[in-house]
Amino acid sequence: NSTGGGTLSGHPWSSDRDFDGIFASPRFGSSEGNVGYLTQPDIYNDTLVFVSEGDVYATNIANYQPSRSFNAARITSTQGNVLTPKVRKYLVAYTATYSGVRDVYVADLRGNTPALRVTYFDSTYGAIHVIQWLSDDEVMFSAFSNEVGMEDMR
């Protein structure tokens, strides 16, 4: 890999292509001064998810060495302020403002399906942040109110 770092090979969201230019994925580590700007990290086994520039990214840290950098795969790529990702197995839950109100979404790191919106708040604030996974199919989150609307079935 010409990016001078680790690889995500063998993982469902991996790519053996080298991304450069405007579509570059953030790199983290210390190789050649490539230190990415990442916030709100969460780890499950060898999977690290984090927020960078308003999107959620994921990478595998199984063989992390401080002298090497790793590429990260972007999980979200739409407008909407994404916050507080929490990973469990191959799922990542996060909040985003895609509809104008902050709601909870779940994305599958294996790809093939769009993120699933799991809350439908009517209040101005919506969901504040994802706290943790309670089980493989339950996510705990906080909200300012319990004003929930019906799912838009259009």
Side-chain angles (χ1 to χ4, degrees), residues 117-154:
R117 182 178 175 185
V118 296
T119 62
Y120 295 86
F121 280 98
D122 282 340
S123 72
T124 304
Y125 302 105
I128 303 308
H129 65 272
V130 174
I131 297 170
Q132 68 182 22
W133 284 90
L134 297 175
S135 66
D136 290 347
D137 60 355
E138 291 181 295
V139 175
M140 179 187 291
F141 64 92
S142 67
F144 273 131
S145 76
N146 60 359
E147 297 175 25
V148 179
M150 297 295 290
E151 178 178 356
D152 187 355
M153 300 300 287
R154 288 182 273 177

Side-chain angles (χ1 to χ4, degrees), residues 62-143:
N63 299 312
Y64 176 71
Q65 297 174 11
S67 62
R68 297 172 61 193
S69 63
F70 280 71
N71 289 331
R74 184 168 34 181
I75 306 305
T76 61
S77 62
T78 58
Q79 293 181 358
N81 187 359
V82 176
L83 297 172
T84 66
K86 299 294 180 191
V87 64
R88 173 121 178 183
K89 295 186 178 179
Y90 50 85
L91 298 174
V92 60
Y94 57 91
T95 65
T97 56
Y98 299 146
S99 64
V101 174
R102 183 162 301 284
D103 278 298
V104 176
Y105 294 81
V106 174
D108 190 328
L109 296 176
R110 299 172 296 181
N112 302 324
T113 58
L116 174 68
R117 182 178 175 185
V118 296
T119 62
Y120 295 86
F121 280 98
D122 282 340
S123 72
T124 304
Y125 302 105
I128 303 308
H129 65 272
V130 174
I131 297 170
Q132 68 182 22
W133 284 90
L134 297 175
S135 66
D136 290 347
D137 60 355
E138 291 181 295
V139 175
M140 179 187 291
F141 64 92
S142 67

Side-chain angles (χ1 to χ4, degrees), residues 26-73:
R27 296 181 178 102
F28 71 93
S30 59
S31 176
E32 302 172 16
N34 292 326
V35 178
Y37 175 75
L38 52 109
T39 63
Q40 305 173 19
D42 190 53
I43 296 176
Y44 182 85
N45 291 337
D46 294 331
T47 303
L48 168 68
V49 296
F50 59 90
V51 173
S52 181
E53 299 178 357
D55 282 310
V56 175
Y57 290 81
T59 192
N60 183 280
I61 58 171
N63 299 312
Y64 176 71
Q65 297 174 11
S67 62
R68 297 172 61 193
S69 63
F70 280 71
N71 289 331

